[in-house]
Amino acid sequence: MFISRRDVLAASAGACLLTLPAQAATRRLRPPFAVPRASGVAPKAKHLPKTEPVRELANESRYRKDDPSRSTVDPELSEAYERSVAPLRAFSQSVIRAANRYVASDGKNLKAAAEAGGILATWAGADSLKVVSGETAQFSRLLTLGAASLGLMQIEGALKPTLRTIIANWLEDRAGETYRHYAALKTKSAANNHRYWAGLSVLSAGIVANRRDLFDWGVSSARIGIAEVTAEGALPLELARGQRALSYHAYALAPLVLIAEAAARNGDSSLYDENSGALHRLIDFCLTQLDDPTRITQLAGTAQEALPNGEFYDSGDVAWLEIYESRFPGRSAWSARLPKMRPMRSTNLGGDITLLFARPGTAPANIPRGRARP
């Protein structure tokens, strides 16, 4: 059983005792985006998209084990990895699509809220993602946890309180397990993009459970990444990814930007200022290198991997830019490009990011959905 609110979160065996006292928030934690007022209570969903709850997960990385940069894909391992995460992706995408439909209706599409809530309740009822084995499985779980929490944020006002509580309790349990794992780690995953994504998943579950301690741990995870940013704007641990260094800079930015925005929406905008504005430097560096990866090629020591079309990104890789633009309109070098790139989409950040974050009056273009992150 997960430790209750009245207890403390402790690190797993073998490490020094790490405690995080449960704190009572003076006011309810807010989502990082605006949520519509529900037009009523969602009915019980009559039909749900088919998803298979996963209670145990033990998948392995897609990268060759003899490559220290973890940047060379092994075809056989990649095929096995894709099979293992397929049910997780189907779950996350189904929840987020339905939740986005509800938001797009301004709270009127109660059937969409019922669909998202029904899928979440099914997985919560199965106590899904309870048992995980290995670092890749831990990471796969936290991505799923984050998407589920962001989906619940969008629809929770339309759900019956009892249903919402069941789902929130499940997410809270998984968040506690994720926290304990990453708080005790001594490997690179304790400080690279894995930690930032863990922070986002725990923070998001903290919002739906109104757990200030979980929320604060997520913010502290982002501080780890922001403290790593060099004067030039690079992330040393992502430079170590060799030919995928550029890709992983863009990937690491996603949780950092959303955590910074979630903190700002809850009264703390300091993440944007820390380390002499490191988050701004990182964004500037990443966007510049996506246009011309000459410098990151020098820093990583190898040419950067491009997409089949020769580009180094698609809209899904930089969906976080919509969040940044909502806070700092016109500041990024790509601000003028955004109208042609919209809608910006990322399941791991909540789905249609343009829908959730773009300022009123923004007209999204009709472009294909971005590629999935390996």
Side-chain angles (χ1 to χ4, degrees), residues 61-202:
S61 170
R62 65 167 74 244
Y63 297 116
R64 285 177 49 173
K65 297 179 180 179
D66 61 352
D67 177 11
S69 72
R70 308 289 285 172
S71 64
T72 306
V73 173
D74 180 302
E76 291 186 4
L77 290 176
S78 182
E79 184 178 347
Y81 172 82
E82 290 295 331
R83 287 196 302 270
S84 70
V85 299
L88 306 184
R89 287 178 178 165
F91 164 73
S92 297
Q93 291 168 2
S94 296
V95 169
I96 292 297
R97 279 197 293 263
N100 284 176
R101 291 201 309 273
Y102 169 76
V103 173
S105 75
D106 196 26
K108 297 180 177 62
N109 190 344
L110 296 178
K111 289 184 178 180
E115 180 178 312
I119 300 168
L120 287 166
T122 298
W123 279 57
D127 203 18
S128 299
L129 303 175
K130 174 65 177 177
V131 181
V132 296
S133 177
E135 283 304 310
T136 299
Q138 290 283 352
F139 191 68
S140 297
R141 173 169 72 174
L142 72 85
L143 288 181
T144 309
L145 164 68
S149 298
L150 290 164
L152 179 58
M153 286 180 210
Q154 296 173 49
I155 63 162
E156 60 182 339
L159 300 184
K160 293 180 179 178
T162 51
L163 181 61
R164 184 202 173 282
T165 298
I166 289 170
I167 299 167
N169 286 347
W170 169 61
L171 295 172
E172 185 181 8
D173 284 358
R174 298 297 90 93
E177 292 154 6
T178 298
Y179 156 74
R180 287 194 294 274
H181 176 79
Y182 281 91
L185 274 185
K186 303 299 182 183
T187 64
K188 289 182 180 179
S189 291
N192 69 3
N193 75 84
H194 289 194
R195 177 58 181 267
Y196 322 151
W197 282 106
L200 177 60
S201 70
V202 172

Side-chain angles (χ1 to χ4, degrees), residues 132-331:
V132 296
S133 177
E135 283 304 310
T136 299
Q138 290 283 352
F139 191 68
S140 297
R141 173 169 72 174
L142 72 85
L143 288 181
T144 309
L145 164 68
S149 298
L150 290 164
L152 179 58
M153 286 180 210
Q154 296 173 49
I155 63 162
E156 60 182 339
L159 300 184
K160 293 180 179 178
T162 51
L163 181 61
R164 184 202 173 282
T165 298
I166 289 170
I167 299 167
N169 286 347
W170 169 61
L171 295 172
E172 185 181 8
D173 284 358
R174 298 297 90 93
E177 292 154 6
T178 298
Y179 156 74
R180 287 194 294 274
H181 176 79
Y182 281 91
L185 274 185
K186 303 299 182 183
T187 64
K188 289 182 180 179
S189 291
N192 69 3
N193 75 84
H194 289 194
R195 177 58 181 267
Y196 322 151
W197 282 106
L200 177 60
S201 70
V202 172
L203 173 144
S204 299
I207 291 175
V208 298
N210 200 35
R211 286 283 300 272
R212 173 64 69 170
D213 52 346
L214 298 180
F215 182 91
D216 288 346
W217 188 82
V219 172
S220 71
S221 297
R223 294 190 197 283
I224 291 173
I226 292 170
E228 291 283 323
V229 178
T230 67
E232 191 170 3
L235 286 167
L237 292 177
E238 307 311 326
L239 289 175
R241 298 304 295 267
Q243 64 183 346
R244 296 182 66 80
L246 179 54
S247 173
Y248 273 95
H249 271 71
Y251 191 54
L253 264 165
L256 291 178
V257 171
L258 188 48
I259 291 172
E261 187 59 25
R265 296 286 182 107
N266 283 279
D268 177 11
S269 60
S270 65
L271 290 180
Y272 291 114
D273 301 322
E274 287 197 1
N275 189 10
S276 301
L279 192 53
H280 301 294
R281 287 202 308 279
L282 176 57
I283 289 171
D284 292 342
F285 176 79
C286 183
L287 296 180
T288 299
Q289 297 308 301
L290 287 171
D291 278 337
D292 178 5
T294 300
R295 181 55 179 156
I296 200 168
T297 294
Q298 296 171 344
L299 294 172
T302 186
Q304 295 302 290
E305 181 182 69
L307 296 174
N309 64 3
E311 297 288 346
F312 291 94
Y313 72 95
D314 63 25
S315 64
D317 297 324
V318 292
W320 45 264
L321 189 55
E322 190 77 89
I323 304 171
Y324 184 72
E325 185 72 13
S326 72
R327 173 68 51 177
F328 301 102
R331 180 164 182 165

Side-chain angles (χ1 to χ4, degrees), residues 1-22:
M1 291 293 291
F2 176 63
I3 301 174
S4 73
R5 300 169 189 270
R6 296 177 297 277
D7 298 320
V8 295
L9 293 167
S12 54
C16 295
L17 183 63
L18 299 171
T19 60
L20 185 62

